[in-house]
Amino acid sequence: QVQLVESGGGLVPAGGSLRLSCAASGRTFTRYTMGWFRQLPGKEREFVAAIRAIGDTYYADSVGRFTISRDNAANTVTLLMNSLKPEDTAVYYCAAEFLGRYLGAATAADFRSWGQGIQVTVSS
Protein backbone atom coordinates (compact mmCIF):
# COMPACT_ATOMS: atom_id res chain seq x y z
CA GLN A 1 0.00 0.00 0.00
CA VAL A 2 1.14 3.55 -0.73
CA GLN A 3 1.95 5.71 2.30
CA LEU A 4 0.55 9.26 2.09
CA VAL A 5 1.22 12.30 4.29
CA GLU A 6 -0.71 15.57 3.95
CA SER A 7 0.58 19.00 4.94
CA GLY A 8 -0.32 22.67 4.53
CA GLY A 9 -3.66 22.88 6.33
CA GLY A 10 -4.67 25.38 8.97
CA LEU A 11 -6.86 28.39 9.66
CA VAL A 12 -7.51 31.00 6.97
CA PRO A 13 -9.96 33.92 6.64
CA ALA A 14 -12.77 33.73 4.11
CA GLY A 15 -11.50 34.75 0.69
CA GLY A 16 -7.99 33.56 1.42
CA SER A 17 -5.98 30.71 -0.06
CA LEU A 18 -4.27 27.53 1.11
CA ARG A 19 -2.07 25.02 -0.64
CA LEU A 20 -2.30 21.41 0.52
CA SER A 21 0.47 18.97 -0.31
CA CYS A 22 0.56 15.18 -0.24
CA ALA A 23 3.83 13.26 -0.21
CA ALA A 24 3.74 9.64 -1.36
CA SER A 25 6.17 6.85 -0.60
CA GLY A 26 6.42 3.07 -0.50
CA ARG A 27 5.56 2.29 -4.12
CA THR A 28 5.94 3.74 -7.57
CA PHE A 29 4.14 7.10 -7.57
CA THR A 30 4.26 8.11 -11.20
CA ARG A 31 1.79 5.47 -12.43
CA TYR A 32 -0.96 6.16 -9.85
CA THR A 33 -4.03 8.31 -10.16
CA MET A 34 -4.19 10.62 -7.12
CA GLY A 35 -7.15 12.32 -5.50
CA TRP A 36 -8.32 14.71 -2.82
CA PHE A 37 -11.44 14.18 -0.71
CA ARG A 38 -12.92 16.10 2.18
CA GLN A 39 -15.19 15.25 5.09
CA LEU A 40 -17.38 17.83 6.81
CA PRO A 41 -18.60 17.19 10.37
CA GLY A 42 -21.52 14.77 10.27
CA LYS A 43 -21.11 14.17 6.53
CA GLU A 44 -19.69 11.38 4.38
CA ARG A 45 -16.33 11.76 2.70
CA GLU A 46 -16.82 13.54 -0.63
CA PHE A 47 -14.80 13.86 -3.81
CA VAL A 48 -12.90 17.10 -4.41
CA ALA A 49 -10.43 16.54 -7.26
CA ALA A 50 -8.28 13.92 -8.97
CA ILE A 51 -5.36 13.79 -11.37
CA ARG A 52 -4.16 10.93 -13.54
CA ALA A 53 -0.53 9.95 -13.92
CA ILE A 54 -0.37 11.70 -17.29
CA GLY A 55 -1.86 14.90 -15.86
CA ASP A 56 -5.57 14.85 -16.76
CA THR A 57 -7.60 16.53 -14.01
CA TYR A 58 -11.13 16.10 -12.65
CA TYR A 59 -13.09 18.26 -10.20
CA ALA A 60 -16.28 18.15 -8.20
CA ASP A 61 -18.84 20.69 -9.37
CA SER A 62 -18.66 22.55 -6.06
CA VAL A 63 -14.92 23.30 -6.10
CA GLY A 64 -14.26 25.28 -9.26
CA ARG A 65 -11.99 27.55 -7.20
CA PHE A 66 -9.49 24.72 -6.60
CA THR A 67 -6.63 23.41 -8.72
CA ILE A 68 -4.96 20.00 -8.44
CA SER A 69 -1.47 19.34 -9.76
CA ARG A 70 1.35 16.83 -9.35
CA ASP A 71 5.12 16.70 -9.42
CA ASN A 72 6.13 13.18 -10.33
CA ALA A 73 9.82 13.85 -9.74
CA ALA A 74 9.04 14.86 -6.14
CA ASN A 75 6.32 12.22 -5.59
CA THR A 76 3.83 14.88 -4.53
CA VAL A 77 0.33 16.04 -5.40
CA THR A 78 -1.00 19.46 -4.42
CA LEU A 79 -4.36 21.16 -4.07
CA LEU A 80 -4.38 24.93 -4.42
CA MET A 81 -7.53 26.33 -2.81
CA ASN A 82 -8.45 29.91 -3.69
CA SER A 83 -11.35 32.11 -2.59
CA LEU A 84 -12.04 29.89 0.40
CA LYS A 85 -15.46 29.94 2.03
CA PRO A 86 -16.58 28.83 5.50
CA GLU A 87 -18.38 25.88 3.89
CA ASP A 88 -14.97 24.61 2.73
CA THR A 89 -14.11 23.85 6.36
CA ALA A 90 -13.39 20.12 6.57
CA VAL A 91 -10.77 17.45 7.02
CA TYR A 92 -9.04 16.96 3.68
CA TYR A 93 -7.67 13.56 2.67
CA CYS A 94 -5.14 12.56 0.05
CA ALA A 95 -5.93 9.33 -1.82
CA ALA A 96 -4.06 7.05 -4.22
CA GLU A 97 -4.55 3.95 -6.35
CA PHE A 98 -7.81 4.55 -8.17
CA LEU A 99 -9.74 1.30 -8.72
CA GLY A 100 -12.96 2.61 -10.25
CA ARG A 101 -14.18 3.31 -13.76
CA TYR A 102 -15.11 7.00 -13.89
CA LEU A 103 -12.90 9.62 -12.26
CA GLY A 104 -15.52 12.28 -12.88
CA ALA A 105 -17.81 10.46 -10.44
CA ALA A 106 -15.22 9.04 -8.04
CA THR A 107 -16.17 7.83 -4.55
CA ALA A 108 -14.02 7.07 -1.52
CA ALA A 109 -14.44 3.36 -2.19
CA ASP A 110 -12.68 3.80 -5.53
CA PHE A 111 -9.32 4.57 -3.90
CA ARG A 112 -7.16 1.98 -2.16
CA SER A 113 -4.72 4.12 -0.14
CA TRP A 114 -5.36 7.12 2.15
CA GLY A 115 -3.55 9.70 4.20
CA GLN A 116 -4.53 10.52 7.78
CA GLY A 117 -6.28 13.75 6.82
CA ILE A 118 -5.53 17.40 7.55
CA GLN A 119 -7.81 20.09 8.98
CA VAL A 120 -8.76 23.16 6.96
CA THR A 121 -10.77 25.82 8.78
CA VAL A 122 -12.12 28.92 7.05
CA SER A 123 -13.33 31.73 9.31
CA SER A 124 -16.03 34.19 8.30
PDB file of all heavy atoms in Angstrom, residues 1-2 4 22 30 34-35 54 63-64 71 82 87 91 98 104 108 122:
ATOM      1  N   GLN A   1       0.829  -1.176   0.000  1.00  0.00           N
ATOM      2  CA  GLN A   1       0.000   0.000   0.000  1.00  0.00           C
ATOM      3  C   GLN A   1       0.879   1.248   0.000  1.00  0.00           C
ATOM      4  O   GLN A   1       1.942   1.262   0.614  1.00  0.00           O
ATOM      5  CB  GLN A   1      -0.926  -0.016   1.212  1.00  0.00           C
ATOM      6  CG  GLN A   1      -2.027   1.016   1.158  1.00  0.00           C
ATOM      7  CD  GLN A   1      -2.988   0.889   2.323  1.00  0.00           C
ATOM      8  OE1 GLN A   1      -2.556   0.747   3.468  1.00  0.00           O
ATOM      9  NE2 GLN A   1      -4.270   0.950   2.032  1.00  0.00           N
ATOM     10  N   VAL A   2       0.423   2.293  -0.676  1.00  0.00           N
ATOM     11  CA  VAL A   2       1.144   3.549  -0.734  1.00  0.00           C
ATOM     12  C   VAL A   2       0.941   4.310   0.572  1.00  0.00           C
ATOM     13  O   VAL A   2      -0.180   4.409   1.080  1.00  0.00           O
ATOM     14  CB  VAL A   2       0.664   4.396  -1.921  1.00  0.00           C
ATOM     15  CG1 VAL A   2       1.370   5.751  -1.932  1.00  0.00           C
ATOM     16  CG2 VAL A   2       0.906   3.656  -3.222  1.00  0.00           C
ATOM     17  N   LEU A   4       0.866   7.895   2.472  1.00  0.00           N
ATOM     18  CA  LEU A   4       0.549   9.260   2.088  1.00  0.00           C
ATOM     19  C   LEU A   4       0.543  10.159   3.318  1.00  0.00           C
ATOM     20  O   LEU A   4      -0.025   9.801   4.344  1.00  0.00           O
ATOM     21  CB  LEU A   4      -0.822   9.330   1.417  1.00  0.00           C
ATOM     22  CG  LEU A   4      -1.029   8.429   0.194  1.00  0.00           C
ATOM     23  CD1 LEU A   4      -2.496   8.428  -0.215  1.00  0.00           C
ATOM     24  CD2 LEU A   4      -0.154   8.894  -0.958  1.00  0.00           C
ATOM     25  N   CYS A  22       0.606  16.587  -0.613  1.00  0.00           N
ATOM     26  CA  CYS A  22       0.562  15.180  -0.240  1.00  0.00           C
ATOM     27  C   CYS A  22       1.824  14.517  -0.763  1.00  0.00           C
ATOM     28  O   CYS A  22       2.071  14.526  -1.977  1.00  0.00           O
ATOM     29  CB  CYS A  22      -0.682  14.509  -0.815  1.00  0.00           C
ATOM     30  SG  CYS A  22      -0.762  12.724  -0.535  1.00  0.00           S
ATOM     31  N   THR A  30       4.544   7.493  -9.904  1.00  0.00           N
ATOM     32  CA  THR A  30       4.256   8.107 -11.196  1.00  0.00           C
ATOM     33  C   THR A  30       3.131   7.429 -11.964  1.00  0.00           C
ATOM     34  O   THR A  30       2.511   8.067 -12.813  1.00  0.00           O
ATOM     35  CB  THR A  30       5.515   8.135 -12.071  1.00  0.00           C
ATOM     36  OG1 THR A  30       6.032   6.809 -12.216  1.00  0.00           O
ATOM     37  CG2 THR A  30       6.583   9.023 -11.429  1.00  0.00           C
ATOM     38  N   MET A  34      -4.129  10.063  -8.470  1.00  0.00           N
ATOM     39  CA  MET A  34      -4.189  10.624  -7.124  1.00  0.00           C
ATOM     40  C   MET A  34      -5.451  11.462  -6.968  1.00  0.00           C
ATOM     41  O   MET A  34      -5.953  12.038  -7.936  1.00  0.00           O
ATOM     42  CB  MET A  34      -2.969  11.499  -6.847  1.00  0.00           C
ATOM     43  CG  MET A  34      -1.631  10.800  -7.033  1.00  0.00           C
ATOM     44  SD  MET A  34      -1.331   9.541  -5.772  1.00  0.00           S
ATOM     45  CE  MET A  34      -1.224  10.571  -4.303  1.00  0.00           C
ATOM     46  N   GLY A  35      -5.943  11.555  -5.733  1.00  0.00           N
ATOM     47  CA  GLY A  35      -7.152  12.319  -5.498  1.00  0.00           C
ATOM     48  C   GLY A  35      -7.142  13.051  -4.174  1.00  0.00           C
ATOM     49  O   GLY A  35      -6.329  12.769  -3.288  1.00  0.00           O
ATOM     50  N   ILE A  54      -0.784  10.895 -16.150  1.00  0.00           N
ATOM     51  CA  ILE A  54      -0.374  11.698 -17.290  1.00  0.00           C
ATOM     52  C   ILE A  54      -0.773  13.155 -17.164  1.00  0.00           C
ATOM     53  O   ILE A  54      -0.409  13.968 -18.021  1.00  0.00           O
ATOM     54  CB  ILE A  54      -0.930  11.122 -18.601  1.00  0.00           C
ATOM     55  CG1 ILE A  54      -2.455  11.098 -18.575  1.00  0.00           C
ATOM     56  CG2 ILE A  54      -0.363   9.734 -18.849  1.00  0.00           C
ATOM     57  CD1 ILE A  54      -3.066  10.690 -19.904  1.00  0.00           C
ATOM     58  N   VAL A  63     -16.245  22.794  -6.452  1.00  0.00           N
ATOM     59  CA  VAL A  63     -14.918  23.300  -6.103  1.00  0.00           C
ATOM     60  C   VAL A  63     -14.187  23.862  -7.315  1.00  0.00           C
ATOM     61  O   VAL A  63     -12.999  23.599  -7.521  1.00  0.00           O
ATOM     62  CB  VAL A  63     -14.069  22.218  -5.409  1.00  0.00           C
ATOM     63  CG1 VAL A  63     -14.652  21.881  -4.050  1.00  0.00           C
ATOM     64  CG2 VAL A  63     -13.955  20.973  -6.276  1.00  0.00           C
ATOM     65  N   GLY A  64     -14.869  24.652  -8.103  1.00  0.00           N
ATOM     66  CA  GLY A  64     -14.262  25.278  -9.262  1.00  0.00           C
ATOM     67  C   GLY A  64     -13.149  26.247  -8.919  1.00  0.00           C
ATOM     68  O   GLY A  64     -12.376  26.643  -9.809  1.00  0.00           O
ATOM     69  N   ASP A  71       3.712  16.647  -9.069  1.00  0.00           N
ATOM     70  CA  ASP A  71       5.124  16.703  -9.416  1.00  0.00           C
ATOM     71  C   ASP A  71       5.649  15.286  -9.276  1.00  0.00           C
ATOM     72  O   ASP A  71       5.955  14.831  -8.176  1.00  0.00           O
ATOM     73  CB  ASP A  71       5.864  17.671  -8.488  1.00  0.00           C
ATOM     74  CG  ASP A  71       7.317  17.846  -8.867  1.00  0.00           C
ATOM     75  OD1 ASP A  71       7.868  16.998  -9.593  1.00  0.00           O
ATOM     76  OD2 ASP A  71       7.924  18.853  -8.435  1.00  0.00           O
ATOM     77  N   ASN A  82      -8.289  28.461  -3.646  1.00  0.00           N
ATOM     78  CA  ASN A  82      -8.448  29.907  -3.689  1.00  0.00           C
ATOM     79  C   ASN A  82      -9.867  30.300  -3.306  1.00  0.00           C
ATOM     80  O   ASN A  82     -10.793  29.495  -3.379  1.00  0.00           O
ATOM     81  CB  ASN A  82      -8.133  30.435  -5.089  1.00  0.00           C
ATOM     82  CG  ASN A  82      -6.683  30.283  -5.472  1.00  0.00           C
ATOM     83  OD1 ASN A  82      -5.786  30.482  -4.650  1.00  0.00           O
ATOM     84  ND2 ASN A  82      -6.430  29.956  -6.736  1.00  0.00           N
ATOM     85  N   GLU A  87     -17.880  27.201   4.205  1.00  0.00           N
ATOM     86  CA  GLU A  87     -18.378  25.878   3.892  1.00  0.00           C
ATOM     87  C   GLU A  87     -17.305  24.934   3.354  1.00  0.00           C
ATOM     88  O   GLU A  87     -17.565  23.742   3.170  1.00  0.00           O
ATOM     89  CB  GLU A  87     -19.549  25.939   2.903  1.00  0.00           C
ATOM     90  CG  GLU A  87     -19.261  26.758   1.661  1.00  0.00           C
ATOM     91  CD  GLU A  87     -19.804  28.176   1.757  1.00  0.00           C
ATOM     92  OE1 GLU A  87     -19.651  28.800   2.824  1.00  0.00           O
ATOM     93  OE2 GLU A  87     -20.391  28.654   0.766  1.00  0.00           O
ATOM     94  N   VAL A  91     -12.009  18.209   7.041  1.00  0.00           N
ATOM     95  CA  VAL A  91     -10.771  17.449   7.021  1.00  0.00           C
ATOM     96  C   VAL A  91     -10.541  16.995   5.589  1.00  0.00           C
ATOM     97  O   VAL A  91     -11.417  16.375   4.980  1.00  0.00           O
ATOM     98  CB  VAL A  91     -10.824  16.242   7.970  1.00  0.00           C
ATOM     99  CG1 VAL A  91      -9.544  15.420   7.864  1.00  0.00           C
ATOM    100  CG2 VAL A  91     -11.026  16.710   9.406  1.00  0.00           C
ATOM    101  N   PHE A  98      -6.432   4.551  -7.717  1.00  0.00           N
ATOM    102  CA  PHE A  98      -7.815   4.551  -8.167  1.00  0.00           C
ATOM    103  C   PHE A  98      -8.172   3.194  -8.762  1.00  0.00           C
ATOM    104  O   PHE A  98      -7.462   2.678  -9.630  1.00  0.00           O
ATOM    105  CB  PHE A  98      -8.021   5.645  -9.209  1.00  0.00           C
ATOM    106  CG  PHE A  98      -9.408   5.730  -9.748  1.00  0.00           C
ATOM    107  CD1 PHE A  98     -10.463   6.118  -8.941  1.00  0.00           C
ATOM    108  CD2 PHE A  98      -9.662   5.440 -11.078  1.00  0.00           C
ATOM    109  CE1 PHE A  98     -11.754   6.218  -9.445  1.00  0.00           C
ATOM    110  CE2 PHE A  98     -10.945   5.534 -11.601  1.00  0.00           C
ATOM    111  CZ  PHE A  98     -11.994   5.923 -10.776  1.00  0.00           C
ATOM    112  N   GLY A 104     -14.606  11.158 -13.020  1.00  0.00           N
ATOM    113  CA  GLY A 104     -15.518  12.279 -12.878  1.00  0.00           C
ATOM    114  C   GLY A 104     -16.604  12.054 -11.849  1.00  0.00           C
ATOM    115  O   GLY A 104     -17.256  13.010 -11.422  1.00  0.00           O
ATOM    116  N   ALA A 108     -15.102   7.488  -2.402  1.00  0.00           N
ATOM    117  CA  ALA A 108     -14.023   7.074  -1.525  1.00  0.00           C
ATOM    118  C   ALA A 108     -13.678   5.605  -1.707  1.00  0.00           C
ATOM    119  O   ALA A 108     -12.512   5.214  -1.589  1.00  0.00           O
ATOM    120  CB  ALA A 108     -14.388   7.369  -0.075  1.00  0.00           C
ATOM    121  N   VAL A 122     -11.948  27.613   7.675  1.00  0.00           N
ATOM    122  CA  VAL A 122     -12.119  28.923   7.054  1.00  0.00           C
ATOM    123  C   VAL A 122     -13.038  29.749   7.937  1.00  0.00           C
ATOM    124  O   VAL A 122     -14.195  29.383   8.152  1.00  0.00           O
ATOM    125  CB  VAL A 122     -12.697  28.808   5.637  1.00  0.00           C
ATOM    126  CG1 VAL A 122     -12.781  30.188   4.988  1.00  0.00           C
ATOM    127  CG2 VAL A 122     -11.844  27.869   4.794  1.00  0.00           C
TER     128      VAL A 122
END
